[in-house]
């Protein structure tokens, strides 16, 4: 009797181990189970603590999130934010799989097409990005849905212009469920669009924010344009109070920082890897450079 | 107006080709006149050539009223030469064509036989005897040559076959002998097919015509399975596929798809056709059904055999190709694009969106170039802006773009990019690029084209891209 009970317990333990292995490898459970687990895991921390805390741990890595640019001229910032998020997902969760950027033809005409050299200077390898240019919104939705059914991509960005009637609540719900099932992030990049009821878990309003100064070694070069900065307003989330946050993307570290932050790579430059903690000797043939006047501790808020 | 073609009845009454309409009407008052449409005739002949593809892939057009079918090696599929000949004749007759068919060892002889009205299958070995009795006019010679031969009293091919060759060539030109040799098979005459001949094809003739898309796809998958075995043996994969559907009423529908990478799996080939059929759904008219279905592989590419492993690591790659194939089959080629770096300093040439292919995913040599600040999105056509600069060569302080006024808070630049004289010519203007941040924090890439004091026109400003 006791032996039988022991065997049963052993069997149960083994089954648990098998289940854990299977869970780790692929997800086969139903939707309800997924949503229960999403509460704890399945979030991608952006590395900006205050922001992550307000989003309950970061960006959900499965399902639909909307990034909205109110004006076409903010499309550059919104694109940058969307691609930065996707590349973080790619790097941390699914390396080796490309990002798919679906962009309606009209959206590309109005806000420009992906530029490989620009992607490089933004910290994204161009060959890790695939773009799709369907003519109409229905085709774009179909491409997005097909992409969510394959296992080929690490993240899908769907760019639409304005608030098309053919992309309403039903369609967004459908895409959200598909993305959730596929455990893929689907980022809806809406250029020149209004706020609209949708099934997106989160909606951000993305605007450009004045960038910090470019750092050369320990110094900030005046009048220069440094790392791109974004002003993100969370319009829809579990957290009822809307809030805004300014953060910058460091293309060298491939990491978000709060503005004014001195990143790891800047610190390395500043310490001068060859001569740590030593300032260069005064030149003999000309006056020594002026000593630094104080130090910038924080920039004034951009908002 | 003159008569370009006439039917049997009119010919019997005595009308001739080239006769004036007024004259013909005088002979036959209730004449039915239809205006000639050479283009429509050519289309009809082309569609008939497509239809003849059911017998052989080598179908060539000749002139405006003849087709050559090279049925070498195809006859046994129809039960012999005679059976093929009868089948073709019967089908053409039922479609309402008055066709003169002849089958012999050479295209030249077949043509001459058909023209002379000897519509039959000529057994091997009787070529010379047959040709001997045919008129020279059937030998595809030029009118002037024929006139010359007729003046010499030479009217039948038999008249010149036994003549010494050298004087004949001297007097009437080399064409006479060439045509004679071609008809007798002493000289080869290749038939150049109208459509490229498929590398491989598999065909299924159906007892009962099919109309449903699902049935067609199931057949396509079945045929794909047959082709897959041959492709595996050859170590190849198909790149371009065509599904040819022969409708019972003679119309031929051809559906072509392209795979992003060589493939041989029947299910994936059928999957491409599924998307294509879904895309052309409205234009796809099954009519009374299709009686013959053929799947052809038009081009092939080497397919490295991959041994699947237990962890199926390579699976994600396969599904990427599947995805691209599916999207391009439905939405057309060029929908999926990959940004690629090129070795150029001109921004619009430095980066292009190239159609997807596997090779592009490995990066390019230009990726080793130093990284300069470049916009995330580039406008396909630079947009003119009205800009005001403090000093002529300096960055703008305000500009107006798309009817919106921007005040510049910071600017980096200029970065001068000279035109590529070997492409744009010597007169092309250099561009001075400025990276600009306006007071709202938006970052743009503006450039000034041209220099002050050079040329008649003042420099102009353009918006070329937006930064993140």
């Amino acid at each position: 009797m006791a032996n039988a009970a022991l065997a049963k317990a052993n069997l149960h333990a083994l089954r648990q181990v098998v289940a854990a292995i299977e869970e780790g490898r692929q997800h086969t459970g139903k939707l309800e189970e997924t949503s229960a687990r999403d509460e704890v895991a399945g979030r991608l921390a952006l590395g900006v603590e205050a922001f992550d805390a307000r989003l309950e741990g970061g960006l959900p890595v499965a399902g639909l999130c909307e990034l909205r640019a109110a004006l076409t001229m903010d499309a550059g910032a919104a694109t940058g934010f969307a691609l930065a998020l996707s590349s973080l997902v790619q790097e941390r969760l699914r390396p080796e799989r490309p990002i798919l950027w679906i962009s309606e033809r009209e959206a590309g005409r109005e806000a420009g097409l992906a530029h490989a050299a620009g992607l490089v200077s933004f910290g994204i390898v161009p060959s890790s990005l695939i773009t799709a240019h369907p003519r109409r919104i229905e085709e774009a939705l179909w491409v997005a849905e097909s992409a969510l059914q394959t296992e080929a991509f690490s993240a899908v960005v769907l760019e639409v212009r304005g608030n098309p009637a053919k992309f309403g609540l039903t369609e967004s719900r459908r895409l959200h469920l598909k993305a959730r099932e596929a455990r893929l992030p689907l980022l809806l990049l809406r250029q020149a669009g209004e706020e609209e009821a949708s099934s997106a878990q989160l909606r951000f309003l993305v605007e450009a924010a004045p960038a910090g100064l470019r750092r050369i070694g320990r110094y900030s070069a005046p009048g220069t344009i440094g790392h791109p900065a974004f002003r993100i307003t969370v319009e829809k989330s579990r957290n009822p109070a809307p809030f805004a946050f300014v953060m910058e993307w460091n293309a060298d570290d491939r990491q978000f920082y709060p503005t004014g932050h001195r990143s790891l790579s800047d610190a390395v430059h500043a310490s001068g890897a060859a001569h740590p903690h030593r300032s260069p000797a005064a030149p003999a043939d000309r006056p020594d450079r002026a000593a630094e006047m104080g130090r910038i501790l924080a920039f004034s808020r951009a908002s | 107006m003159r008569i370009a073609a006439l039917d049997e009845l009119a010919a019997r009454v005595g009308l001739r080709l080239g006769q004036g309409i007024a004259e013909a009407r005088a002979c036959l008052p209730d004449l039915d006149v239809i205006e000639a449409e050479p283009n429509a005739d050519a289309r009809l002949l082309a569609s008939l050539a497509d239809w003849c593809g059911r017998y052989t892939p080598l179908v060539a057009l000749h002139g405006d009223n003849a087709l050559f079918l090279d049925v070498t090696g195809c006859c046994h599929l129809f039960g012999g030469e005679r059976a093929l000949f009868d089948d073709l004749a019967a089908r053409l007759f039922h479609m309402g064509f008055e066709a003169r068919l002849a089958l012999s060892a050479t295209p030249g002889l077949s043509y001459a036989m058909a023209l002379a009205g000897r519509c039959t299958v000529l057994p091997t070995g009787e070529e010379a005897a047959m040709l001997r009795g045919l008129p020279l006019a059937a030998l595809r010679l030029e009118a002037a040559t024929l006139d010359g031969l007729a003046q010499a009293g030479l009217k039948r091919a038999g008249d010149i076959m036994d003549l010494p060759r050298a004087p004949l060539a001297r007097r009437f030109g080399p064409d006479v002998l060439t045509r004679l040799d071609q008809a007798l098979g002493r000289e080869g005459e290749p038939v150049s097919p109208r459509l490229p001949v498929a590398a491989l094809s598999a065909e299924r003739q159906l007892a009962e015509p099919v109309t449903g898309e699902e049935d067609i796809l199931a057949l396509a998958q079945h045929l794909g399975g047959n082709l897959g075995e041959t492709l595996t043996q050859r170590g190849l994969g198909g790149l371009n596929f065509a599904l040819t559907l022969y409708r019972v009423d003679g119309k031929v529908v051809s559906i072509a798809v392209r795979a992003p990478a060589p493939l041989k799996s029947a299910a994936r080939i059928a999957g491409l056709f599924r998307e294509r059929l879904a895309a052309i759904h409205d234009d796809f008219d099954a009519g009374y059904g299709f009686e013959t279905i053929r799947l052809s592989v038009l081009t092939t590419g080497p397919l490295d055999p991959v041994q699947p492993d237990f962890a199926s690591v390579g699976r994600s790659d396969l599904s990427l190709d599947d995805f691209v194939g599916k999207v391009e089959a439905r939405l057309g080629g060029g929908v999926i694009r990959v940004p690629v770096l090129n070795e150029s300093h001109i921004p619009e040439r430095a980066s292009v969106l190239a159609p997807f292919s596997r090779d592009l995913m490995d990066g390019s040599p230009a990726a080793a170039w130093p990284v300069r600040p470049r916009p995330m999105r580039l406008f396909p056509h630079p947009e003119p802006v009205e800009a005001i600069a403090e000093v002529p060569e300096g960055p703008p302080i305000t500009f107006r773009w798309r009817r919106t006024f921007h005040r510049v808070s910071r600017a980096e630049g200029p970065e001068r990019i000279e035109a590529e004289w070997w492409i744009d010519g010597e007169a092309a203007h250099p561009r001075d690029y400025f990276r600009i941040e306006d007071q709202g924090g938006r970052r743009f890439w503006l450039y000034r084209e041209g220099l002050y004091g050079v040329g008649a026109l003042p420099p102009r400003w353009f918006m070329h891209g937006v930064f993140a």
Side-chain angles (χ1 to χ4, degrees):
Chain A
M1 214 47 197
N3 270 347
L6 199 63
K8 212 170 186 178
N10 276 341
L11 192 63
H12 181 71
L14 283 170
R15 277 198 180 130
Q16 292 240 315
V17 171
V18 171
I21 293 168
E22 282 181 343
E23 289 273 309
R25 261 190 53 185
Q26 66 184 83
H27 172 72
T28 49
K30 292 208 172 68
L31 198 64
E32 285 73 30
E33 295 167 25
T34 320
S35 59
R37 214 177 27 216
D38 270 354
E39 306 293 328
V40 280
R43 298 268 168 169
L44 179 91
L46 301 192
V48 181
E49 275 165 28
F51 191 74
D52 288 339
R54 295 299 288 264
L55 293 182
E56 302 166 9
L59 184 84
V61 292
L64 178 69
C65 290
E66 181 174 337
L67 312 175
R68 183 172 78 89
L71 303 168
T72 311
M73 52 187 159
D74 279 322
T79 312
F81 191 60
L83 290 186
L85 291 178
S86 328
S87 77
L88 284 182
V89 172
Q90 182 189 32
E91 185 178 305
R92 297 198 194 153
L93 301 176
R94 293 184 185 83
E96 308 282 311
R97 292 190 196 171
I99 302 163
L100 178 68
W101 176 8
I102 305 161
S103 169
E104 238 188 312
R105 291 261 161 106
E106 198 197 341
R109 265 200 300 274
E110 286 294 320
L113 301 171
H115 186 54
L119 293 171
V120 173
S121 60
F122 196 68
I124 295 174
V125 183
S127 60
S128 73
L129 180 78
I130 292 179
T131 62
H133 303 270
R135 279 177 206 85
R136 289 173 296 143
I137 180 75
E138 300 96 309
E139 294 176 352
L141 296 178
W142 177 80
V143 174
E145 198 182 328
S146 313
L148 293 174
Q149 285 163 356
T150 66
E151 291 186 356
F153 300 106
S154 53
V156 181
V157 179
L158 171 62
E159 183 178 23
V160 299
R161 184 165 169 77
N163 300 64
K166 297 225 168 101
F167 186 31
L169 192 57
T170 323
E171 288 80 8
S172 76
R173 174 110 189 111
R174 183 183 166 109
L175 283 180
H176 172 57
L177 291 178
K178 292 265 178 192
R180 214 161 161 158
E181 224 170 296
R183 303 197 61 70
L184 275 180
L186 173 63
L187 299 173
L188 170 64
L189 178 58
R190 195 190 287 283
Q191 50 162 274
E194 300 292 319
E195 285 183 65
E196 183 183 69
S198 79
S199 293
Q201 313 164 74
L202 293 172
R203 185 173 59 236
F204 302 121
L205 172 68
V206 187
E207 292 162 301
L213 297 178
R214 193 189 289 274
R215 284 174 177 279
I216 298 166
R218 198 144 38 113
Y219 309 98
S220 306
T224 54
I225 305 170
H227 299 305
F230 310 101
R231 184 183 146 83
I232 313 293
T233 312
V234 182
E235 292 180 332
K236 179 184 176 185
S237 72
R238 297 269 187 84
N239 209 327
F243 72 101
F245 207 89
V246 182
M247 58 177 99
E248 67 177 34
W249 168 255
N250 186 316
D252 303 321
D253 296 357
R254 294 168 53 79
Q255 172 84 41
F256 283 107
Y257 290 107
T259 41
H261 177 88
R262 295 187 57 181
S263 77
L264 190 65
S265 58
D266 291 339
V268 170
H269 289 310
S271 66
H275 309 281
H277 312 297
R278 206 196 296 169
S279 51
D285 56 338
R286 59 197 145 89
D288 191 7
R289 99 180 74 183
E292 209 175 351
M293 298 283 285
R295 172 174 240 178
I296 298 171
L297 292 174
F299 286 104
S300 54
R301 277 185 71 92
S303 51
Chain B
M1 295 216 296
R2 298 196 166 270
I3 297 180
L6 39 76
D7 65 357
E8 215 175 315
L9 199 66
R12 211 179 300 149
V13 174
L15 302 186
R16 306 182 310 277
L17 288 183
Q19 201 174 22
I21 288 293
E23 192 187 338
R25 278 232 167 86
C27 300
L28 201 66
D30 53 351
L31 189 68
D32 199 2
V33 179
I34 302 163
E35 209 164 313
E37 285 180 60
N39 290 334
D41 290 346
R43 277 202 301 278
L44 178 72
L45 194 68
S47 68
L48 200 61
D50 286 347
W51 178 83
C52 287
R54 58 188 291 134
Y55 295 103
T56 167
L58 291 161
V59 180
L61 296 175
H62 178 77
D64 52 3
N65 58 1
L67 292 177
F68 281 125
L69 274 68
D70 187 346
V71 293
T72 316
C74 302
C75 295
H76 68 281
L77 300 171
F78 298 87
E81 288 178 0
R82 188 78 232 177
L84 188 149
F85 186 85
D86 291 344
D87 184 59
L88 178 56
R91 281 178 191 270
L92 286 174
F93 177 76
H94 287 300
M95 287 200 300
F97 289 106
E98 188 208 331
R100 279 187 269 171
L101 310 176
L103 180 59
S104 76
T106 63
L109 185 58
S110 298
Y111 184 81
M113 282 165 65
L115 213 63
R118 308 280 178 85
C119 299
T120 181
V121 179
L122 189 72
T124 318
E126 295 178 19
E127 284 84 14
M130 170 58 81
L131 187 64
R132 206 167 277 283
L134 296 179
L136 279 174
L139 273 184
R140 295 180 289 167
L141 292 170
E142 282 176 29
T145 319
L146 278 177
D147 279 350
L149 286 162
Q151 278 170 14
L154 302 169
K155 291 196 172 151
R156 307 214 150 256
D159 299 341
I160 59 167
M161 276 165 75
D162 302 326
L163 292 181
R165 293 170 64 88
L168 199 63
R170 260 205 308 281
R171 185 155 170 198
F172 301 108
D175 264 7
V176 182
L177 287 179
T178 311
R179 291 300 186 197
L180 205 60
D181 289 348
Q182 281 177 346
L184 289 172
R186 290 183 201 142
E187 193 169 309
E189 185 185 3
V191 167
S192 60
R194 193 175 91 86
L195 301 173
V197 178
L200 277 174
S201 61
E203 187 181 284
R204 186 76 182 266
Q205 306 226 359
L206 306 165
E208 187 81 9
V210 294
T211 51
E213 283 181 20
E214 282 307 314
D215 300 337
I216 293 168
L217 288 170
L219 282 164
Q221 183 160 353
H222 175 76
L223 293 172
N226 294 351
L227 288 180
E229 290 167 21
T230 321
L231 286 171
T232 310
Q233 284 164 11
R234 297 188 189 176
L236 294 173
L239 274 173
N240 285 287
F241 296 90
L243 189 67
T244 318
L245 303 160
Y246 295 89
R247 223 163 71 176
V248 284
D249 58 356
K251 191 169 160 43
V252 180
V253 181
S254 191
I255 304 165
V257 292
R258 182 181 166 276
L263 62 89
K264 63 180 181 188
S265 143
R268 293 173 68 200
I269 297 171
L272 293 179
F273 282 110
R274 181 181 303 281
E275 295 305 331
R276 192 72 210 131
L277 274 177
I280 60 168
H281 183 81
D282 294 339
D283 301 328
F284 185 71
D285 183 10
Y288 294 108
F290 300 101
E291 54 180 355
T292 303
I293 291 185
R294 174 184 295 164
L295 178 66
S296 317
V297 183
L298 299 178
T299 50
T300 56
L303 183 67
D304 297 330
V306 181
Q307 185 172 29
D309 53 0
F310 291 119
S312 59
V313 173
R315 262 189 62 206
S316 63
D317 286 5
L318 278 183
S319 59
L320 179 59
D321 286 340
D322 276 343
F323 170 77
V324 175
K326 183 176 165 180
V327 170
E328 300 216 317
R330 179 176 278 212
L331 303 184
V335 169
I336 305 282
R337 290 175 174 270
V338 188
V340 178
L341 287 166
N342 278 337
E343 290 174 318
S344 171
H345 287 290
I346 304 286
E348 57 264 37
R349 291 187 195 133
S351 161
V352 290
L353 288 173
F356 175 86
S357 91
R358 273 258 146 232
D359 314 336
L360 294 178
M361 304 300 290
D362 303 333
S364 68
W369 286 26
V371 177
R372 314 227 32 157
R374 286 285 180 267
M376 177 125 253
R377 309 185 74 155
L378 201 72
F379 292 109
H381 305 286
E383 298 179 6
V385 296
E386 297 162 28
I388 298 169
E390 220 164 23
V391 289
E393 302 285 339
I397 47 169
T398 61
F399 66 95
R400 189 182 288 278
W401 174 53
R402 290 186 181 171
R403 302 199 299 269
T404 312
F405 187 73
H406 297 265
R407 200 174 281 280
V408 175
S409 68
R410 276 181 286 176
E412 282 185 354
E415 177 188 349
R416 174 159 300 177
I417 298 181
E418 287 283 349
E420 291 178 334
W421 54 263
W422 57 96
I423 299 173
D424 305 315
E426 302 258 358
H429 297 293
R431 299 171 180 178
D432 280 346
Y433 277 91
F434 291 90
R435 193 175 170 215
I436 278 168
E437 186 177 272
D438 76 355
Q439 284 186 333
R442 300 179 193 98
R443 289 164 286 274
F444 301 107
W445 213 34
L446 286 177
Y447 73 86
R448 192 187 58 233
E449 190 178 75
L451 301 169
Y452 284 97
V454 179
L457 293 170
R460 293 185 303 159
W461 286 89
F462 291 92
M463 169 71 71
H464 205 174
V466 288
F467 285 93

